[in-house]
Amino acid sequence: MANRFAVVLAAGQGTRMKSKLYKVLHPVCGKPMVQHVTDQLNQLELSEIITVVGFGAETVQNQLGDSSEYVIQKEQLGTGHAVLQAGEYLADKKGTTVVVCGDTPLLTSETLEALLSHHEEKGAKATVLTAHAEDPHGYGRVLRSGNGDVERVVEQKDASREEAEVREINTGTYCFDNELLFKALSNVSNDNAQGEYYLPDVMEILQKEGEPISAYQMDDLKEALGVNDRVALSKAETFMRERINDRHMRNGVTIIDPSHTYIGADAVIGQDVTIHPGTTITDGTVVENDAELGPNSTVERSFIGEGTVVKQSFVSDSHVGKRVNIGPFAHIRPDSELGDGAKVGNFVEVKKAKFGQNSKVSHLSYIGDADVGEGVNIGCGTITVNYDGKDKHLTTIEDEAFIGCNSNLIAPVTVGKGSYVAAGSTINQDVPAESLSIARARQTNKEGYAQKMKKKD
């Protein structure tokens, strides 16, 4: 197979987005658009990926890292000029170059592979990826001869009335013979309505030189969507969400209401998982078989074990074991670890805490910076007092301990194995194993006192 290269056009400022955020970094289903593009390219057998950056160059490089090489387009002089900047890496190399826009997050590796294969099988020197559009307004038109050969591609602004009626559109994605591409780019003119150097003009130049030009029409117009404003961004989000949810449902996930379920592109979800409406699952999350999430739950960058239930709760950057029950209205904050069979009930907040197997904190408690053993029961209203105003400290609750309601455990402190803490206690010293600790004022009743107070009124 000949060498294959890719050039990603990601230099435009995106003024129509009306945003401080660089256009190609706007997320679609939780992932920046340009990351969607490069992730699909990385599934192909490519020798090099060159990303052309301009405004916000450093932020794009930080996002993509070493998955790409980078060149800078200092002036925004059109797509042809942008590709020309990649010449320092590619100009003298033999092979095929695919050119993709960084604001086309819906393009798939399957479509790009089909384009490359078509280009190579036809022996073409340039191939444009096209689509049929009932409303082609805003897109460049692909003009063919009577025998179906591609004659040229004309931009919307430069199209005649007759040309504007054509419904085969240019998606902005191309394949070129690499050496001929950079040779032709030096002859591209900016004599057009925008005063820019258009990449499609390379096709016309090559055709005049007698080189074969081709087109590959994709099946799904949605893949061609380029995002230039917030309206298009919302459409891309909708289309991507549908694609992701369909894939999971076909792989054995039950999604009760796909239109109100939001799953990151790279989330991993097992079979027989049930997802209720209003649930968000981000990239970096793994959900094992038979789990149940929602309604109205959010799971961010976390591991959810087999058979676990998360109801109306928030889980972030944590590891949750098998058959755990969370919620409703629980908040599992980062760096928490819940062992198999644990229970975190309603209005409980857990932060940077480890729960052993079958331990439970059923309601109205805060457990932060804690190491909780196995089989522990933590009563309603318990607080691990972990912060002294300067530093965080650890609370340790050993196996099978029982913490009574409305207890304050002032860290650093250890409650020993099998011990009991009486309800209403404030514990600031270690509790030995198999002990009962009571730390509260003795109750005093003053009979008749209330009646005396009423007489004063």
Side-chain angles (χ1 to χ4, degrees), residues 219-239:
D219 295 327
D220 187 358
L221 176 62
K222 292 176 182 177
E223 283 194 45
L225 178 65
V227 176
N228 291 312
D229 57 27
R230 306 293 181 123
V231 175
L233 184 66
S234 72
K235 290 179 180 178
E237 180 84 16
T238 298
F239 297 153

Side-chain angles (χ1 to χ4, degrees), residues 357-428:
Q357 293 184 18
N358 301 315
S359 290
K360 58 184 178 180
V361 52
S362 295
H363 33 217
L364 298 164
S365 297
Y366 171 72
I367 310 298
D369 295 278
D371 188 350
V372 180
E374 297 182 4
V376 171
N377 186 91
I378 299 175
C380 172
T382 295
I383 297 173
T384 59
V385 186
N386 57 333
Y387 186 49
D388 63 8
K390 181 180 179 183
D391 298 309
K392 299 289 181 71
H393 301 282
L394 180 69
T395 296
T396 301
I397 305 173
E398 295 183 348
D399 295 352
E400 300 173 3
F402 183 97
I403 311 299
C405 294
N406 285 344
S407 294
N408 296 311
L409 308 179
I410 301 179
V413 70
T414 297
V415 177
K417 181 177 180 179
S419 290
Y420 282 72
V421 171
S425 293
T426 295
I427 304 298
N428 60 8

